Amino acid sequence: MVIAVAVCFVLFIGFVYAYDRPGGIADWRYSRASGISGTIKIPLGDTPEEAVRKFRNEARTHIIYREPVAGGALLFNKLNEQKEGNNLGIEFVRKTLLGWKWVYGGNYSYSAATDQNEALNFMSIPKYKGIDGPFPIIFGQLMNSAVASVKVTVGGEAAGEYNAKIISEGVQQRIWYAILPVTADKPYKIETLNGEGIVVASKTFDDPTDFGSIVMLTK
């Protein structure tokens, strides 16, 4: 009995190593899902932040917030250490027995017209087959103090409204995100509401990879 348990343990450790090591099964799955020929080697890190920096190899990335989620963590980041501005990125990193490992993410950046009364900006990342994590997800920054809440409406099998989480503590500029059901589909709609529950900005779109700015509704 003891020998059988020991053998199972050794096999388990062997599988974990084969799956999560750089260039292992997890990286092979990511490469296939991303259309990459060969197998990319995703490095491991001792912390979520280190895992992102090793993979991105980008010294300009400034991580502004870490949000725990099932299976790992979401890391929000800015470019060039800008704590404000119209750019934001999000990365999902997974906790493994070998360390933290980057899974997937994305970022956006754009120039906003100075004469626009911007409510928020956003980016939508869909769920891709073969890539695990809290996807699809829509995230962004709140640009107007009148915005008190954000809700996202989707179509598909899980059609309905989903309230976004707003993060205000520990960040200079409020950020928000909504993790959507895997079956979420077009049309997508983002609505921002003021403290009285009145919609003050809205946008409907069909592209699951859309990003940009939403301006306040004119009175």
Side-chain angles (χ1 to χ4, degrees), residues 21-54:
R21 69 177 179 83
I25 298 172
D27 296 354
W28 179 87
R29 291 185 63 203
Y30 171 80
S31 300
R32 299 290 79 73
S34 302
I36 299 173
S37 59
T39 300
I40 190 172
K41 293 184 178 181
I42 300 176
L44 293 159
D46 293 332
T47 65
E49 292 80 3
E50 184 182 46
V52 169
R53 292 194 175 100
K54 279 187 173 182

Side-chain angles (χ1 to χ4, degrees), residues 43-57 63 66 75 93 100 102:
L44 293 159
D46 293 332
T47 65
E49 292 80 3
E50 184 182 46
V52 169
R53 292 194 175 100
K54 279 187 173 182
F55 177 77
R56 291 297 187 188
N57 193 26
I63 296 170
R66 182 205 295 185
L75 272 62
V93 290
W100 290 91
W102 180 90

Side-chain angles (χ1 to χ4, degrees), residues 181-219:
V182 174
T183 56
D185 201 351
K186 62 181 182 181
Y188 302 88
K189 185 177 184 180
I190 300 175
E191 291 181 303
T192 66
L193 297 83
N194 62 18
E196 298 176 350
I198 299 173
V199 176
V200 293
S202 176
K203 179 179 181 178
T204 301
F205 55 97
D206 291 337
D207 183 357
T209 63
D210 198 8
F211 74 96
S213 173
I214 304 177
V215 299
M216 299 287 284
L217 296 174
T218 57
K219 296 183 180 179

Side-chain angles (χ1 to χ4, degrees), residues 42-218:
I42 300 176
L44 293 159
D46 293 332
T47 65
E49 292 80 3
E50 184 182 46
V52 169
R53 292 194 175 100
K54 279 187 173 182
F55 177 77
R56 291 297 187 188
N57 193 26
E58 180 56 81
R60 298 180 304 159
T61 298
H62 179 67
I63 296 170
I64 62 171
Y65 193 82
R66 182 205 295 185
E67 175 80 345
V69 294
L74 290 171
L75 272 62
F76 295 86
N77 62 78
K78 289 276 196 177
L79 296 177
N80 299 315
E81 298 190 1
Q82 295 179 11
K83 295 183 179 180
E84 294 185 359
N86 304 309
N87 74 84
L88 187 67
I90 196 171
E91 311 282 3
F92 174 64
V93 290
R94 180 169 55 87
K95 177 65 173 175
T96 78
L97 292 179
L98 303 179
W100 290 91
K101 191 175 183 72
W102 180 90
V103 178
Y104 198 70
N107 62 77
Y108 64 89
S109 179
Y110 67 95
S111 298
T114 56
D115 60 344
Q116 289 186 336
N117 188 9
E118 190 177 16
L120 59 74
N121 48 57
F122 76 97
M123 180 178 186
S124 175
I125 299 180
K127 172 72 175 180
Y128 293 105
K129 184 178 180 181
I131 296 178
D132 299 325
F135 304 105
I137 188 170
I138 297 180
F139 69 99
Q141 303 168 104
L142 299 182
M143 309 299 287
N144 194 300
S145 60
V147 176
S149 61
V150 179
K151 65 179 180 180
V152 179
T153 305
V154 299
E157 295 179 14
E161 293 181 355
Y162 298 88
N163 293 322
K165 180 173 181 179
I166 294 177
I167 299 168
S168 56
E169 298 294 328
V171 293
Q172 188 165 337
Q173 196 167 25
R174 289 184 298 164
I175 54 181
W176 66 277
Y177 74 93
I179 298 174
L180 303 174
V182 174
T183 56
D185 201 351
K186 62 181 182 181
Y188 302 88
K189 185 177 184 180
I190 300 175
E191 291 181 303
T192 66
L193 297 83
N194 62 18
E196 298 176 350
I198 299 173
V199 176
V200 293
S202 176
K203 179 179 181 178
T204 301
F205 55 97
D206 291 337
D207 183 357
T209 63
D210 198 8
F211 74 96
S213 173
I214 304 177
V215 299
M216 299 287 284
L217 296 174
T218 57

